[in-house]
């Protein structure tokens, strides 16, 4: 008999089951319906798709929802319930019936209503046996997809790195080399609260959520641990609505608090004046120095009014900030504002990421025509063998052209290098004497022709924690003063006590020297 479940545990379990877990955080082992997946068409061609499970035909396809690419057609039914990273084969679908719409009846053509909408609704000839049974099953549900002879893609789980490469660009995005270094410098970790001003296309938002994620707030509210969260602010209304829709579709509504606001004038407070309590800040704004006064623990003199000041920062920790600026003039004004407001350890970093591809520059006429192959002979023997082959083909072509079918071609002269050298070269080519093509040539490193990044200057700074009288009293209570004699530490004794310790140490050392001298004299005095 199982023990009864506590009401709190039952409530937490129910909340966990109802909570939609984001595929960016816990994608699982297999794909599932109503979730985001990334289709890799080629190395740099990625397509985000929301998998849909349909009960019948869709848009004229009997197989349901279909994705059409240059590599073939891929029904969603073939991509649901497969392990991530699987290779998906293209399917044979009736592309001719897609998009056919039923004509509306008019006064001139009253019989237009009988026009079929799709090819699947047209009358088919009577079928018998297995064909009729299959047709009935296809009409009742989704038609089973049949694999095509060629064409395939790979299905990948959504990650911030892949999403950055495939997301719809609404603004210039923060690429992986930049945001990975930013999250490291601003100390983003599980349980941290991050402020992001300038959501844009959402590239940094997804990466920051993964960095601070340690559970959904509604699933483990009884533990008392602080849950990581991202407070994002966007000024542009259309971008705000598109970003809000993506957050809901990706299951991040409990981890990202998106606000439509002008942070220059309205600040960073949420829910009518509540402080986010941020540990880290990322500003991707045209003029970040105008938003910095709103990110202070004390009310700056530049802000007028007598209203009670509520800081959006965490009072218990030092706060780290990063600003993202495309030109040095913005950096100059930002650094000046940081210094006036008490930020320290200010420095600027530029990320210049470039991939280097290392290949072996192979050499040899015997190698296939491929990228990285230099079609020149590796030595004299290979050149002679190649000339001999060309001469043989030339003689054979001349013989056939003249119609001399009975001409004896066995008296061809051996190549200038002799038969032995030619035979050795051919053996080397065929790998009969330890020849290996993969060790040919030298290693060559080439930089990528197109760098997927943009010029940006990252300004980092730290706002130290304020030390109050309450903090001093708490520290004294935890580490009381006066217990140095019980647990001596360096520098805890006064000058007289240190002299006494030094005198006792020298006395012990003198006694040891006297004993060693006495022992040596005794040994020398023995016969």
């Amino acid at each position: 008999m199982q023990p009864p479940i506590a009401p709190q545990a039952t409530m937490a379990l129910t909340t966990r089951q109802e909570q939609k877990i984001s595929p960016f955080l816990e994608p699982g082992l297999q794909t599932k319906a109503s979730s985001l997946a990334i289709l890799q068409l080629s190395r740099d061609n990625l397509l985000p798709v929301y998998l849909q499970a349909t009960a019948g035909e869709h848009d004229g396809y009997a197989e349901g929802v279909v994705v059409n690419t240059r590599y073939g057609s891929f029904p969603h039914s073939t991509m649901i319930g497969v392990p991530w990273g699987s290779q998906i084969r293209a399917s044979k679908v009736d592309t001719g019936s897609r998009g056919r719409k039923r004509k509306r009846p008019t006064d001139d053509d009253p019989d237009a209503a009988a026009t079929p909408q799709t090819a699947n609704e047209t009358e088919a000839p009577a079928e018998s046996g297995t064909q009729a049974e299959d047709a009935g099953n296809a009409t009742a549900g989704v038609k089973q997809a049949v694999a095509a002879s060629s064409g395939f893609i790979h299905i990948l789980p959504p990650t911030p790195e892949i999403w950055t490469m495939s997301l719809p660009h609404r603004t210039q995005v923060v690429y992986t080399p930049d945001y990975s270094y930013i999250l490291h410098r601003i100390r983003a970790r599980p349980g941290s609260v991050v402020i992001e001003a300038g959501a844009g296309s959402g590239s940094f938002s997804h990466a920051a959520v993964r960095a601070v994620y340690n559970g959904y707030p509604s699933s483990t509210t009884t533990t008392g641990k602080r849950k990581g969260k991202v407070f994002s602010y966007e000024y542009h209304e259309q971008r705000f609505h598109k970003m809000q829709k993506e957050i809901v579709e990706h299951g991040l509504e409990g981890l990202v608090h998106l606000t439509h606001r002008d942070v220059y004038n309205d600040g960073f407070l949420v829910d009518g004046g509540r402080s986010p309590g941020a540990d880290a800040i990322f500003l991707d704004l045209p003029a970040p120095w105008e938003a910095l006064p709103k990110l202070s623990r004390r009310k700056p003199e530049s802000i007028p009014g007598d209203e009670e000041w509520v800081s959006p920062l965490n009072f218990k920790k030092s706060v780290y900030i990063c600003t993202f600026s495309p030109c040095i003039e913005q950096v100059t004004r930002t650094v000046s504002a940081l210094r006036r407001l008490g930020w320290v350890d200010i420095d600027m970093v530029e990320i210049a990421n470039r991939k280097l591809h290392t290949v072996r520059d192979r050499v040899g006429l015997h190698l296939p025509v491929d990228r990285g192959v230099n079609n020149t002979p590796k030595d004299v023997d290979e050149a002679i063998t190649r000339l001999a082959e060309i001469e043989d083909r030339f003689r054979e072509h001349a013989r056939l052209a003249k119609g001399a079918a009975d001409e004896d071609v066995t008296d061809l002269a051996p190549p200038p290098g002799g038969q032995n050298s030619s035979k050795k070269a051919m053996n080397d080519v065929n790998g009969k004497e330890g020849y290996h093509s993969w060790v040919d040539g030298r290693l060559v490193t080439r930089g990528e022709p197109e760098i997927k990044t943009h010029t940006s200057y990252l300004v980092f700074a730290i706002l130290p924690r304020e030390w109050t009288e309450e903090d001093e009293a708490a520290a004294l209570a935890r580490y009381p003063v006066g217990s140095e004699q019980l647990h001596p530490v360096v520098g805890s004794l006064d000058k007289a006590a240190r002299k006494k310790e030094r005198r006792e140490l020298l006395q012990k050392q003198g006694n040891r020297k006297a004993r060693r001298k006495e022992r040596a004299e005794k040994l020398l005095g023995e016969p």
Side-chain angles (χ1 to χ4, degrees), residues 406-443:
D406 55 348
E407 181 180 356
D408 187 5
V409 295
T410 58
D411 58 348
L412 295 177
Q419 296 182 355
N420 294 333
S421 61
S422 301
K423 183 177 180 180
K424 180 179 181 299
M426 293 302 296
N427 289 338
D428 289 344
V429 171
N430 296 329
K432 295 182 180 180
E433 294 187 4
Y435 173 78
H436 302 289
S437 61
W438 59 84
V439 298
D440 273 352
R442 57 183 178 177
L443 290 177

Side-chain angles (χ1 to χ4, degrees), residues 298-312:
R298 305 295 177 184
K299 185 177 181 180
E301 298 179 356
S302 59
I303 299 180
D306 299 331
E307 296 83 3
E308 183 181 358
W309 177 258
V310 179
S311 175

